[in-house]
Amino acid sequence: MSETRTAIVTGAARGIGRGVAQRLAADGLQVAVLDLDEAACADTVEAITSAGGTAIAVGANVADADSVEAAVERVASELGAPTVLINNAGIIRDNLLFKMTVDDWDAVMGVHLRGAFNMTKAVQKHMTEAKFGRIVNLSSTSALGNRGQANYSAAKAGIQGFTKTLAIELGKFGVTANAIAPGFIQTDMTAATAERIGVDFDDFIKFSAEQIPVQRVGQPEDIAHTASFLVSEGAGFVSGQVIYVAGGPKD
Ligand SMILES: NC(=O)c1ccc[n+]([C@@H]2O[C@H](COP(=O)([O-])OP(=O)(O)OC[C@H]3O[C@@H](n4cnc5c(N)ncnc54)[C@H](O)[C@@H]3O)[C@@H](O)[C@H]2O)c1
């Protein structure tokens, strides 16, 4: 590693984002732990700093361009130019199409697509100036279609097209862009899905694991491991890819 890199991980107060933030810090990066509520980032920051890493908590709404611009400038001044970006913040507003509201549609598009766009636009100038950048966007196996997720699957498929375009536009500046498409990962998000469909979370995990070739559900560490590879200095020739991390083949 030629220098200490600064990473921003969105939605890092919990779940996959927290796992990725902790892993990148363990890899030696300085990490901005960004989430809607700055106070909610404290546990992730504490986990990183108590393990000897460097992290700050940043409150921002990725769907809001002004909030994002201010957050990115704060990271640049407090930690240094962010050259690693993990667009992880996400929400679900699941429902069958006939019951899905325009608000359900807009909310999901706002966080996943507008959010990733806002963050990447704000960070790219730091990457292009540094002639180095690593962008990792969280897609999902739902990009291939999933009952009750017309909004979310469209957003996660959109993330894949966005990622490939970033790879094409930013490649000449030493910036790579890749997407990770997780399958079932055990987090509050999948717990909320179990609750919505009225299934006990442990039963939901057990049933889901039986459908997965490796016979277990994923953990945030599984995604963190893949993100660690994609942001590494040595991964500079891997760009525009979608890696399904789902315990089996998906496409
Ligand atoms: N859990 C899974 O099985 C799974 C599978 C595929 C993809 N994903 C994707 O991985 C990412 C993380 O999922 P998770 O399971 O850890 O979810 P989670 O609900 O546990 O965590 C999401 C985090 O994003 C934050 N967030 C939401 N809206 C935000 C906004 N507007 N601005 C800033 N932060 C915001 C939340 O506060 C929360 O801390 C999401 O993009 C999700 O779609 C998850």
Side-chain angles (χ1 to χ4, degrees), residues 62-152:
V62 297
D64 181 273
D66 292 341
S67 169
V68 162
E69 195 62 45
V72 168
E73 286 323 302
R74 205 189 123 200
V75 173
S77 68
E78 288 185 29
L79 290 180
T83 54
V84 174
L85 172 64
I86 314 292
N87 281 312
N88 167 82
I91 59 168
I92 46 172
R93 293 285 184 275
D94 295 356
N95 229 326
L96 292 176
L97 181 65
F98 79 104
K99 286 194 270 188
M100 189 174 284
T101 66
V102 170
D103 283 351
D104 293 334
W105 178 269
D106 287 346
V108 167
M109 293 302 157
V111 177
H112 295 274
L113 284 180
R114 181 145 40 90
F117 166 74
N118 284 340
M119 286 298 310
T120 308
K121 198 168 173 203
V123 167
Q124 59 84 29
K125 60 178 173 290
H126 296 289
M127 295 180 171
T128 53
E129 272 167 26
K131 294 273 187 285
F132 176 92
R134 298 280 185 265
I135 301 165
V136 176
N137 298 323
L138 269 289
S139 178
S140 167
T141 52
S142 295
L144 303 168
N146 197 25
R147 188 178 173 80
Q149 294 196 314
N151 50 1
Y152 184 82

Side-chain angles (χ1 to χ4, degrees), residues 168-211:
I168 292 165
E169 288 190 14
L170 299 174
K172 65 180 169 202
F173 301 104
V175 178
T176 66
N178 292 284
I180 299 174
F184 187 122
I185 309 296
Q186 189 175 342
T187 68
D188 289 347
M189 185 177 277
T190 35
T193 300
E195 195 175 342
R196 185 180 64 81
I197 61 178
V199 178
D200 177 74
F201 194 34
D202 288 339
D203 292 341
F204 192 45
I205 288 170
K206 191 167 167 293
F207 171 78
S208 301
E210 284 164 7
Q211 321 299 314

